[in-house]
Amino acid sequence: MAQCVQSVQEFIQDSFVPLVAALCSEEAERLTRKNNLGFSELVKPFCRLTSEVHMRDPNNQLHVIKNLKIAVNNIITHSPQPGGIRKLLNDVVSVSQPAEGLVANVITAGDYDLNISDRSVKASVPWYNNWKDTLMELNTSTFYSATTPWFESYRESFLQSMPASDHEFLNHYVACMLVVSSGEPEPVEQFLKLSQEQHRIQHSSEYAYPKWFIPNTLKYYVLLHDVSAGEEQRADSVYEEMKQRYGTQGCYLLKINSRGSNRGADEQIPDPWSQYLQKNNIQTQESYDDGPYTVISNKNADHLISDGLDNDIQDGLSNNFKAHPLQLDHLSDTSTSFDATEYIKTTASLHESKKTSSGTPHGTCLTLTDHDRIRQFIQEFTFRGLLPHIEKTIRQLNDQLISRKGLSRSLFSATKKWFSGSKVPEKSINELKNTSGLLYPPEAPELQIRKMADLCFLVQHYELAYSCYHTAKKDFLNDQAMLYAAGALEMAAVSAFLQPGAPRPYPAHYMDTAIQTYRDICKNMMLAERCVLLSAEILKSQSKYSDAAALLIRLTSEQLTWMGMDSDLRSALLLEQAAHCFINMKSPMVRKFAFHMILAGHRYSKAGQKKHALRCYCQAMQVYKGKGWSLAEDHINFTIGRQSFTLRQLDNAVSAFRHILINDSKQPAAQQGTFLREYLYVYKNVTQLSPDGPLPQLPLPYINNSATRVFFGHDRRPAEGEKQAATHISLDQEYDCESSHQWKELEEQVVAVVNKGIIPSNFQPTQYCLNSYSDNSKFPLAVVEEPVTVEVAFRNPLKVPLLLTDLSLLWKFQPKDFSAKHNGETKELACGNDMIGAEVIAEFLINSEETKMARLKLFPHQTGELHILGVVYNLGTIQGTMMLDGIDPSIGLQAGKFVYNGMSVRGRQDLEIQGPRLNNTKEEKTSIKYGPDRRLDPIVTEEMPLLEVFFINFPTGLLCGEIRKAYVEFVNVSKCPLTALKVVSKHPEFFTFGGNTAVLTPLSPSASENCSAYKTVVTDSTSVCTALMSSASSVNFGVGTGSQPEVIHVPLPDSVLLPGASVQLPMWLHGPDEEGVHEINFLFYYESIKKHSKMCHRVLRHTAVICTSRSLNVRATVCRSNALEDEGKGDNMLVFVDVENINTSEAGVKEFHIVQVSSNSKHWKLQKAVNLSEDKDYKLASRERGKLCFKAVRCKNSGENYTFADIVFGNEQIISSASPCADFFFRSLSSELKRTHTQSNMFQGAVKQSFDEAVRLIQKCSKVDLNIVVLWKAYVVEDNKQLILEGQHHILLHTLGKEAFSFPQKQGFKKILGNSDWEDLEQESPEMVFLKFFRPESSSLPTRPTPDQLSNLIKTSLHYPESFNHSFHQKSLCLVPVTLLLSNCSEADVDVIIDLRHKTTSPEALEIHGSFTWLGQTQYKLQLKNQEVCSLQLKACFVRTGVYNLGTHRVFAKLADQVTLFETSQQNSMPALIIINNI
C-alpha cells in the first residue's frame, strides 16, 4: 500500500474515538456564527488532548491514555442514506488530487524508476520524458514510497460516515454537551429544555437514530459567553447557579469572541479550522477549477455543507434533526447517473460557491486567548466529565458481569430465546437495522461484554478490550449470531495488534473470518470494507505486502455492493493500494503493479473519477512503454486520450492519440479506424479553441524526410512523332552515383574549356535534382518563373486509407535583388501569390500501408531566398466501402469518388532533413556532428535562357561503323537569348555536326546519288585503281593542337539563339566499333548574353542509347617494299587489308560492298591497288573474307595538313577529307592518341621516359603514320524494301609488321585486368611487356632497341637474274653478277658493314639450297647519309646446277656518331633464290 501520513496505531486510534453529541440553543449557535462556525466545528481543532490522561481500570490499576482524541458532533436524528454516503465519498476522492508543482515521488523498483504521485498529471503523462530526471533531485535515498492522500481522505470519511449499528457500540454517543448562551433571558430554563430534548431523542421510540452508549448518558452543561458583547457579571452569576445545580464536574463557562468582528482586521490570527472544514465542504476545493466531473448537483449541495452551517433555521432549536448531512433529496436519490448536460451549470455554481466560501475567514472574533480557552474547555470536559464517566461505566459493567457469572447458561439461553424467538442471526444489514433488538436485548450479558470491550478500546485499554472481545466472540459463535461474532473477531484482532509489547501475534485469521462473514453471510460490504482497510494497514506495517494485496483484491468484485452502493470507487481505491503493495515488496513486482493500476484506472473511470483514472493509466504506462507490448500501449494511450479529452486536457489527449497512430500498430483495421476518428475528433476540438493559432503538427502520414527530392525546372516534354526530346533529368529517373559523377566531370570539362583551361573557384556543378545522395552543402539555385518541384515521400502506417486534401507546401521567402552591386538590401517580408505561387493538390489518397510520393510545386516570381518549411494539408479518412484498391489519384479524383466521413483537420508537418555526418577532422571523427543539408533552401536568381533540344530521325540501332544522318533542333523557350552553345561528350567519335567550313559539309542527303550521308563526286572509269588526292587540316574538324576533342562547338547561326527561336542542324552519327548496348551522354552547355552573379551558365543533359550489331572486321599490316626502283629513293610500302563479314544477318543485312579505301597521313599516301580483280566490285556475303593489297608511297610534307588518298572501287568517290568521313576519322584518331597517352602514363613508374636520342632515331625507323579508312555499303532488306546503309572503319597503322584492328581486342591483359586501357597491350612487342615488370633500380639503364627496330635502319635489295644458264662442260665455274642496293631509312648517317663470309650451317637449309661462294672483296665498310641509296657490284661463284639462296650476306649497321653497342645484323628476312641451269 502507499505510504500514509499517520502510523497504523494513530490511524486506528483516530478511527475509533469517544463520540460526544452537542445540542445548542439558537442563541448559542448565533454566537458561534460570528466566526462562520457551528459549535461542533468551533471545538473540532482542539479535540485532541495535548497531555497524557490517567484513569483506573476495574482492577484499580492506573492506566495511561496517550494522545486521546474525542469527536463532538451535532445530533442528527436520521441515519445517513447510501446515496448520500456514495456522493460524499465520491466528492472526497474527487477533490483530493496530486498537488501541483511538487517534486514527484519516485519509486526505484528493479530496472524501473516510477513516478507515482504528488506531481501534476501533465508531468506523469508517458510522453514527457523528464520524469526520470526528478530522481536525482530528491534526497540521497533511492527508495521512496508514494502517498495517496485521496485514499486516506476516503478512508477517513468512510469510517466517519458509517451508520451506527446495534451489534457494536464504537460509534454510539457516550456523552452530550448542552450549550446555552449567557445572553439568554433564562439560561437555566434553556438548559432544562435542551436536557429534555436530549432525553426525548434518546429514549423515545420516535427516534431510532442516533445510538447512545448507555441509557444514563453523561450530560455536560456549557455556558457560552460572548466577551465582546455580553455582561460578564451575569455570566458569572449564571455559572455559579449552574455549579450549584449540576456540580463543578458537570458544567463549564466558555468565554469566546474576545475580539469584535469590526476590530483588528489587519491582525493575522491562525485559522486551524480550514483543514477540517475542507474535508467536509467539498465546494472549496481547488481541483474543481478544471475538473469536468462532479457528482454534486445544485439542488442538494446545501445538504452537504458541514454541520451547523444551515442558515435556514425553522424551529426554536438550531438543530434540524430531520436532515442528515448525507441526506439526499428524493429526486437526486432516484438515480446515481450523472447527466452531462448539467455539467456547465453545476460547475458554474460550484465555482460561485468556491468564491464565496474560500474568501470567508473563520474565527475572526477569536483571539489566541480564546483558542486557549476552547482547548482548556475540552481538556476540562475530558478530565472532569468524560473519562470519570467512562471509568465509572466500565466498573459498573464489570461488576454486573461478575455478579452474573453464577447464572446458568440455560437462563441466558432462555433469555435469548425469549427475545429472539429462536431466530437465527439475520443476514441482511437492512433487516438488522430494523430488528436490532430481536437477537439480543440491550441488557443481554453478551452485549454488556461487548459494550465493556468497546469502552476499553476507546480509552486504549487494549488488553482488557481483547479479553472481553475474545469472550464475547465465543458466546456469539456458540449462539450462531454471526454478525455479532464477526464484529467481535474484527475488534479482537485489532486489539491484539494494538496491545503494547505485542504479547501475542496479530491474528490475521480473525480478520479473514470476519471479512468472509460480513461479505458472504451478512451481505454487509461496508463492514467488510472496514475490516479490509484495517487489516491491510496492519499487514502493511508488518511488511506482509503480498497478504495485504490479496486481501485488497478480494474485495474488488464487480458484484459486491452494499445498500445499492456500487463498488467501482471502492474497487478502484483498493486495486490502487494493491498495486502499491506489489511495488513495495522486497522484490518489486513491477508488472503486477502496472496491471493493477490499469484495473484501478478502469474502475476509477466507471466511478466517474476521470482525473484519478488518467493518473493511474499514466503511471502504468511508465512500465508498459518501450517493451514491445504494442497492444497494451495502444489501449493505455487510447484511454489516456479519452480521459484527457473528458478533462479538457486537449493537448494531452492529442499527444496520447498521436502515440497510438505513430507507432507501428498491430491493431486490426477497424480498430485503427476508430483510433484515427477519435484523434481527428479531439484534434478538431483543439483547433476550434484557437482557430487563429499556428497550425499544429500532424502525426500522419509518416514523411521520410531524407527521401525528399527537389527538382528545379520544367517537366520534360514527351516525344512528338519523330521528334525525341532530350532526356535531361526528371524525378522519374533513379539516382545513379556513377552517372552523376560523369555528368559532373563533363560539366567541369566544358567549363574549363570556356575559361581557358581553368575552373573558376566559385564553380558550382549544376544540380537539377537534389536528393539524399547529392551534395547539398551549398544553397541550390533556382530561376525566376521556373517551378521548384518538391517530392515528398508519404507513408501510411495504418491499415485504413488516409485522404489528404488541399495539400501544398509551406514556405518562407525573403526577396533580394541579386543584380545590384551590393546584392541589395533585404526587403521586409510580404508573402503573397505575387512573389511565390504554390500548387495545391485537391485530393491525395494514400491507401493502407502504402508509400506514395506527392510532387508539389512552387512558382517563384521574384528573386530572393526561398525556404521550404514543410507541408500543410487537411487530414481525413474516407468510408472504407467507397474505396477501391488501385485507384490512381494522379488521374484526378472527381468529387464523389471518395466519401468523407465528415471528419478532417488541418495541420502541418515540417520537413527537417539531417545533413551528412562529418568525418574529416579528428574532432568530427570523435564526436557526432552533422553538416548542413540545404536542398530546401534555394536561392532564386535572375531570369536565364532555357534550352530545349529535340532529336529528329535519331536511330536506336546501328551497325558497327555505320554512318547515319539525323537532325537536332535547338529551341530557346525562355525570354532571354542564349549563346556559347557547346556540347561535350565522353564519346566524341560517335557524332559530329560537320566541319567548320561549309565547303567541307554536305548540304543535305539529296546532294549525292543513293541519298548518301557522305559528300560524293562521280568518277570516270580511268581513275579506278588510282588514288585521288585531297588534303584537310584537323583544325577544320575541331581537333586542333591543344584543344579538347570532347568539347564541340555547336554551329548556331550568328552564335545566338533568340527567345522563342529554333534552329535545326544536321548531326552525323557513327556506330561504335563494339557490338552491344551503348549509353552515350551529351551535355549541352549554354550561357546568357547578360552575365549574372549567381548563375553563369546552364546545362542540358541527354543520354542516347544505341544498340550496335556486328558488321565488318578489318585488319591491316604494313611492310616495306623491296623494290627500290620507284621514285629513286625506295620510299614505298605495301599495305595489306583483310576484311571479314562477321555480321550474323540479324539486322537483315544481305551483303557488304567495299566501295572505297582511303588513307590519310601527314607522310604517306596510298598510290594504287595491287591485286584488284577485274570486276572491280568487292562483295562480302555472310562470313566471307577478302584481302586487299595497296602500294603506299611517301608524300610531300604538307605541314600540319593531312593528305587524303581515295582508292575508289565504284563509280562514286566519297570525299574522305570532307564531313562526315574526316570528322569521324579525326575523332577516332584523337581518341586513340588519348588512350595511348593514358597507357604511357601508366608505365611511367617502371620505364624512363627520356629516351636516348640514338634509341629514338632507331625506333623511328620502324614507325609509320598511316591510317586506313575502309568505306562500305550494306544492303538491308526491311519490310520488303531494300535499304542501303553506309559506314566506315578506321585502322591506325603505327608500326611496321604489326597487325592493326578496326575494333578493340577483348583478350590478353583486358581479361586479366578488366581495363579498357589494356585492350591492345598484347599487340606490343615482347620486350615492351617485359619492361613493364622491370625492377625500379634497372630503370636508370639506357633502353636497348629491339632487333626488329634495328633491322629497319637499312633496307637491302639484291638484283640478279632469276635463272642463269651456264655450260659447266665448257667451264666448271659459273660466275653471276649480283647488285646489292643499300638504302638508309633513318634520318641520320649510318655506318654499314657488309660481310659476305657468312655460310649457312643449318642442315635443313643445305638440303633445300646449295652452297656457293662470293668472289672478290668479302667485307665492305660504307657510310650512308640521310636517306641515301648505295649499290655494290658483287659476283657469286657456283660449281653445279641447282637452286641457291643468295641472301647469305650479313649487314651490320650503327649510327655514325655512336659506339657499336647497338650493332646488329640487318639480315634479310626473305630468301633471294636463283636457278643455275646447265646447257
Side-chain angles (χ1 to χ4, degrees), residues 650-933:
L650 299 181
D651 290 340
N652 289 349
V654 169
S655 299
F657 282 114
R658 178 188 181 93
H659 271 73
I660 302 177
L661 299 175
I662 63 174
N663 294 327
D664 290 332
S665 176
K666 297 178 181 178
Q667 301 283 359
Q671 191 63 46
Q672 288 184 359
T674 303
F675 288 160
L676 181 59
R677 285 190 296 273
E678 289 270 355
Y679 171 77
L680 294 177
Y681 178 74
V682 172
Y683 190 94
K684 202 163 190 177
N685 280 270
V686 174
T687 54
Q688 286 173 354
L689 292 179
S690 55
D692 299 328
L695 286 175
Q697 298 284 337
L698 289 174
L700 291 174
Y702 288 178
I703 293 181
N704 185 356
N705 284 316
S706 62
T708 302
R709 296 194 296 169
V710 185
F711 178 73
F712 301 97
H714 297 280
D715 295 335
R716 176 173 171 263
R717 282 197 197 177
E720 300 175 1
E722 293 296 323
K723 277 190 178 184
Q724 176 188 347
T727 56
H728 194 43
I729 186 170
S730 70
L731 288 170
D732 297 326
Q733 299 171 1
E734 293 292 333
Y735 178 81
D736 184 358
C737 181
E738 183 179 352
S739 172
S740 176
H741 184 67
Q742 289 179 5
W743 290 116
K744 181 182 176 184
E745 285 184 346
L746 289 174
E747 187 174 359
E748 288 175 348
Q749 196 170 1
V750 68
V751 168
V753 169
V754 171
N755 292 276
K756 300 178 181 179
I758 300 172
I759 298 179
S761 59
N762 62 344
F763 168 71
Q764 184 174 342
T766 304
Q767 295 187 105
Y768 284 103
C769 186
L770 302 179
N771 51 37
S772 57
Y773 303 103
S774 55
D775 180 11
N776 305 323
S777 58
K778 297 178 181 178
F779 293 100
L781 299 177
V783 180
V784 167
E785 305 301 338
E786 293 187 16
V788 177
T789 306
V790 180
E791 182 183 80
V792 183
F794 289 108
R795 181 171 74 86
N796 180 8
L798 304 181
K799 298 183 178 73
V800 294
L802 298 176
L803 185 63
L804 311 186
T805 55
D806 297 336
L807 173 62
S808 62
L809 288 172
L810 201 60
W811 49 269
K812 182 174 70 174
F813 184 68
Q814 196 172 10
K816 281 192 175 181
D817 185 10
F818 297 113
S819 60
K821 291 183 179 179
H822 303 290
N823 285 343
E825 296 182 0
T826 303
K827 303 173 185 176
E828 187 173 343
L829 184 64
C831 295
N833 289 333
D834 56 334
M835 290 189 179
I836 304 290
E839 179 190 38
V840 178
I841 298 178
E843 289 180 330
F844 186 77
L845 176 71
I846 311 175
N847 283 327
S848 60
E849 298 179 336
E850 180 187 16
T851 299
K852 195 172 184 180
M853 307 296 177
R855 293 178 183 174
L856 302 163
K857 291 183 179 180
L858 294 178
F859 300 91
H861 303 303
Q862 187 173 338
T863 60
E865 297 176 356
L866 177 63
H867 303 280
I868 299 169
L869 306 177
V871 290
V872 58
Y873 55 92
N874 295 325
L875 173 63
T877 59
I878 61 174
Q879 291 183 1
T881 56
M882 301 302 295
M883 198 269 300
L884 300 176
D885 290 332
I887 292 176
D888 185 6
S890 63
I891 302 172
L893 301 176
Q894 294 85 8
K897 177 175 285 190
F898 301 106
V899 179
Y900 283 97
N901 63 2
M903 194 67 63
S904 72
V905 293
R906 188 153 188 84
R908 62 183 282 182
Q909 280 202 63
D910 292 338
L911 294 174
E912 298 173 350
I913 304 174
Q914 188 181 62
R917 182 173 175 180
L918 303 177
N919 199 28
N920 298 323
T921 64
K922 182 179 179 181
E923 181 185 357
E924 291 171 352
K925 291 178 180 178
T926 55
S927 60
I928 299 178
K929 291 186 177 180
Y930 294 91
D933 191 304

Side-chain angles (χ1 to χ4, degrees), residues 298-315:
N298 239 352
K299 49 204 171 194
N300 67 330
D302 291 338
H303 297 286
L304 291 166
I305 301 173
S306 181
D307 303 349
L309 288 184
D310 193 350
N311 293 322
D312 300 327
I313 303 171
Q314 298 176 357
D315 55 7

Side-chain angles (χ1 to χ4, degrees), residues 508-582:
H509 59 287
Y510 278 15
M511 276 294 193
D512 294 340
T513 306
I515 294 170
Q516 187 175 1
T517 304
Y518 282 143
R519 186 186 63 187
D520 299 336
I521 299 177
C522 304
K523 304 298 183 185
N524 191 325
M525 287 307 301
M526 204 168 192
L527 294 173
E529 184 177 351
R530 184 180 71 181
C531 279
V532 168
L533 295 176
L534 296 173
S535 182
E537 198 66 37
I538 294 171
L539 291 171
K540 186 196 78 170
S541 69
Q542 297 176 339
S543 298
K544 296 179 180 179
Y545 292 106
S546 179
D547 296 340
L551 191 64
L552 292 163
I553 294 171
R554 199 184 307 164
L555 210 65
T556 58
S557 171
E558 294 274 357
Q559 288 77 29
L560 297 178
T561 59
W562 173 76
M563 293 174 64
M565 176 176 164
D566 65 62
S567 61
D568 288 319
L569 181 62
R570 177 187 69 239
S571 298
L573 290 161
L574 298 185
L575 283 167
E576 183 180 11
Q577 295 306 307
H580 283 283
C581 287
F582 289 122

